[in-house]
Amino acid sequence: MTAGTAIEGRVVKVSGSLVEVEGLPGAVISEVVALGRVGLLGEIVAVADGVFTVQAYEDTGGLAPGATVAALGRPLSAALGPHLLGGVFDGLLRPLSEAGEWLEPGAGAGPGDTLRWRFTPTAAPGADLAAGEAVGTLDGDGPFALLVTVPPDLPPGVPLAVESVVPAGEYAADETLAVIGGRPVTMATSWPVRRPRPFRARVDEVAALHTGQRVLDLVQPIARGSTASVPGGFGTGKTMLLQQIAKWCDADVIVYVGCGERGNEMADIVEELQSLVDPRSGRPLRLRTVVIANTSNMPMMAREASIYTGVTVAEYFRDMGLHAVVIADSTSRWAEALREFASRRGALPAEEGYPAGLASALAAFYERAGDVRTLGGGRGSVTIIGAVSPPGGDMTEPVTAHTQRFVRATWMLDRDLAYARHYPAVAWEGSFSRDAGALAGWYARNGDPTWGRRRARMGSLLAESDRLASLAELVGEGAMPGSERVVLLAGRLLRDCVLRQSALSPNDGFCSAAKGAALVDAVLAVVDRCQSLIEAGVPATRIEEADLGALVRAAEATGPADAEGVAARRDTVLAELETLS
């Protein structure tokens, strides 16, 4: 902000983070203002009779009536650029790694003027480029090259002349690298966080997002560019499951948004990302992650903005033809910020005190996911996975209920499974995936034609096993016919051999698609053999007493991609069963 370019007013009232301002002619709703001498950021949320109501994004301690206010002439925007990868930021995308114990009030966002990146031009003067097309590439520490593109807010599809391009070399983020259609192009850019970045078209063809967690990939899968929610009460393992997805899913960029979570949890994820090695590139995993840490002790409005900041960052990388995943932990804390904000404004409350626009806000957020054809002609995606923390584990409360209307998959976490130390505690009954049917065709085209039948049979056996388990509690398992006792055995084997997965195991923390399929096929082969033995007259007691340990320990004893090792253990168990015939 420079003198003469901003409209200045005066603070007339301060009530916590809500500030009333006069003397801002021409200012509009959603415009960002700088409050006081240090320039605390705030957003205009209401206008009435020349009085502007501003919600501050920072602590207003020390701000008093009479302080100057400057309207900045823009909505809340994210500073985007190559500096994001590997960084830790607050909800306004201000860097936290070098901020000290507390972030200084009025601190700015952006890469600063000390970092430099090597730029290699791909366009020459005289060429014609349209919005979103690449001007050059940046070589950084990450596993992929980043693109410098024509700004996406220019008219789409209209070619503009490249007037000049700098030669290859190292440049700062704010240096002009090219001039296109009279507009300078830099590697750093800015974009309003509540406005989706444009793209050419959505892609109809689906592709699986492999998470490395068997209960998700085999039972309730998600496609790239899709959406998922993870509802669960306290202690059911939401954060651990989301951290596993962040570490192991096959996306190019991970944007982890800690929205109102505890500081020690955020410290754990940052520490892990710093120490882990990316299994695909062999380089530090942090080089393809962006962490937005807006913990529970940070200002409420920054928490509200953090998920929009996160999805804007993901769209920035999507527009380079990369696949990004946004993990929001948790959207319940974001919704609580909306409720607090609405209460301060005096808005009429709806269900459980949440604002009437909660459903619309959730829909608008999840709608920004998608697998798209970018303005530059590439293919990129944004996948959104949001945790939901219902108070008291009530799955009928508004945030959980509305979220399930708008997402393509729900991974419901079950308290009983968690207390039985079955992790991930994803309930196979309460969860669903609307992508499963389309992904069955994708797997069939990509080397696994039996994926759909395998998943259907797993679901059938698990459901039948749960039904018979209730019956067994009444009459006793010994009183049930042999075929039903084999179904109960099948349910136990699927739960213990396939769906249970240790996040702390070097062999089992991540599971490849081939190993996951081999584990399911091994269990089904053993179950089929047990059923044939029952039909041949072998007592169910003898089958239940057989040593199935080699199969039960297969996931832990074999490597993350060792499908052959699983098959060998299956053969060992089948040979053991042959001795019973």
Side-chain angles (χ1 to χ4, degrees):
M1 182 183 67
T2 60
T5 61
I7 304 170
E8 290 198 352
R10 296 282 174 179
V11 173
V12 296
K13 181 181 177 181
V14 181
S15 178
S17 61
L18 213 61
V19 181
E20 292 187 359
V21 178
E22 288 182 340
L24 293 176
V28 296
I29 290 287
S30 299
E31 186 172 345
V32 174
V33 301
L35 302 166
R37 178 179 54 83
V38 297
L40 301 177
L41 289 180
E43 181 178 350
I44 298 175
V45 296
V47 182
D49 299 326
V51 177
F52 296 81
T53 302
V54 174
Q55 180 65 53
Y57 285 108
E58 305 182 68
D59 182 18
T60 56
L63 188 67
T68 60
V69 179
L72 304 185
R74 58 174 174 81
L76 180 66
S77 301
L80 306 173
H83 66 286
L84 295 174
L85 289 176
V88 181
F89 307 88
D90 77 339
L92 304 183
L93 219 56
R94 297 177 296 186
L96 297 177
S97 55
E98 299 177 0
E101 185 173 353
W102 297 99
L103 189 65
E104 290 294 328
D113 54 6
T114 59
L115 299 177
R116 304 178 74 84
W117 289 267
R118 182 166 183 80
F119 171 74
T120 303
T122 57
D128 289 334
L129 295 179
E133 294 184 338
V135 178
T137 61
L138 298 175
D139 296 330
D141 296 330
F144 40 74
L146 301 179
L147 301 181
V148 177
T149 62
V150 179
D153 56 349
L154 294 174
V158 178
L160 300 172
V162 178
E163 299 173 14
S164 65
V165 181
V166 299
E170 293 190 350
Y171 299 91
D174 58 354
E175 291 188 65
T176 298
L177 304 178
V179 177
I180 300 177
R183 180 165 173 176
V185 176
T186 62
M187 65 181 74
T189 184
S190 180
W191 189 265
V193 298
R194 291 187 175 87
R195 192 174 87 199
R197 287 170 66 92
F199 53 85
R200 186 177 297 180
R202 291 187 181 269
V203 176
D204 293 330
E205 181 186 357
V206 300
L209 177 72
H210 185 69
T211 67
Q213 309 306 299
R214 288 187 295 271
V215 67
L216 307 183
D217 297 331
L218 297 172
V219 184
Q220 308 296 356
I222 184 175
R224 279 181 172 169
S226 193
T227 54
S229 66
V230 188
F234 177 77
T236 53
K238 291 187 301 297
T239 299
M240 179 60 76
L241 177 59
L242 293 175
Q243 288 181 7
Q244 286 296 97
I245 295 172
K247 289 186 287 188
W248 302 116
C249 76
D250 59 354
D252 297 312
V253 176
I254 304 295
V255 182
Y256 195 100
V257 183
C259 180
E261 290 302 297
R262 295 179 292 274
N264 59 341
E265 291 184 354
M266 288 307 307
D268 287 343
I269 184 64
V270 170
E271 183 178 359
E272 285 206 51
L273 293 175
Q274 293 283 345
S275 60
L276 285 175
V277 174
D278 186 353
R280 294 191 297 167
S281 66
R283 308 177 76 176
L285 186 62
R286 63 176 177 82
L287 297 179
R288 62 180 183 91
T289 62
V290 181
V291 178
I292 297 176
N294 197 261
T295 53
S296 54
N297 65 332
M298 291 183 176
M300 174 269 297
M301 278 303 289
R303 185 192 319 165
E304 187 270 342
S306 61
I307 66 167
Y308 297 110
T309 302
V311 75
T312 301
V313 170
E315 289 173 343
Y316 167 70
F317 290 108
R318 175 206 68 189
D319 292 346
M320 299 182 188
L322 300 174
H323 299 287
V325 169
V326 178
I327 296 176
D329 187 11
S330 79
T331 56
S332 292
R333 307 289 179 261
W334 166 75
E336 288 170 4
L338 288 179
R339 180 168 60 186
E340 182 179 344
F341 172 52
S343 176
R344 290 181 181 181
R345 291 178 54 198
L348 290 176
E351 188 178 3
E352 295 193 17
Y354 288 105
L358 173 64
S360 298
L362 282 166
F365 169 62
Y366 283 107
E367 181 63 24
R368 292 177 69 170
D371 190 356
V372 305
R373 189 68 61 187
T374 68
L375 293 178
R379 182 175 177 178
S381 67
V382 172
T383 307
I384 299 179
I385 302 173
V388 186
S389 307
D394 178 14
M395 298 300 176
T396 64
E397 61 89 34
V399 180
T400 307
H402 287 312
T403 298
Q404 292 188 58
R405 294 168 52 198
F406 306 123
V407 296
R408 298 286 300 170
T410 286
W411 302 324
M412 189 82 69
L413 299 185
D414 183 80
R415 187 184 302 274
D416 293 336
L417 286 176
Y419 287 176
R421 303 185 67 81
H422 177 110
Y423 291 104
V426 177
W428 38 88
E429 284 191 344
S431 303
F432 65 83
S433 170
R434 297 186 176 107
D435 292 333
L439 287 175
W442 180 85
Y443 276 107
R445 295 189 299 272
N446 288 270
D448 190 359
T450 61
W451 185 91
R453 293 196 298 273
R454 185 188 300 118
R455 175 181 180 270
R457 190 172 179 202
M458 280 183 66
S460 175
L461 283 173
L462 288 168
E464 183 68 7
S465 174
D466 288 345
R467 184 187 69 82
L468 293 176
S470 300
L471 181 62
E473 290 179 357
L474 296 176
V475 303
E477 188 171 335
M480 301 176 70
S483 59
E484 293 183 347
R485 291 168 69 174
V486 170
V487 173
L488 289 172
L489 175 63
R492 289 194 296 269
L493 288 176
L494 285 173
R495 291 191 295 270
D496 293 339
C497 303
V498 180
L499 302 184
R500 189 192 299 265
Q501 190 171 355
S502 172
L504 305 179
S505 169
N507 278 344
D508 205 31
F510 167 79
C511 182
S512 68
K515 180 181 175 180
L519 284 168
V520 179
D521 289 342
V523 169
L524 297 180
V526 169
V527 170
D528 288 342
R529 183 56 185 146
C530 290
Q531 286 287 12
S532 66
L533 290 173
I534 291 292
E535 294 170 1
V538 177
T541 303
R542 291 188 62 196
I543 295 175
E544 293 167 344
E545 292 173 349
D547 183 10
L548 306 181
L551 183 59
V552 173
R553 295 186 294 271
E556 176 66 31
T558 57
D562 188 6
E564 294 181 358
V566 172
R569 288 175 169 269
R570 174 204 63 199
D571 294 341
T572 299
V573 172
L574 290 175
E576 173 76 14
L577 293 175
E578 286 297 326
T579 63
L580 305 180
S581 58

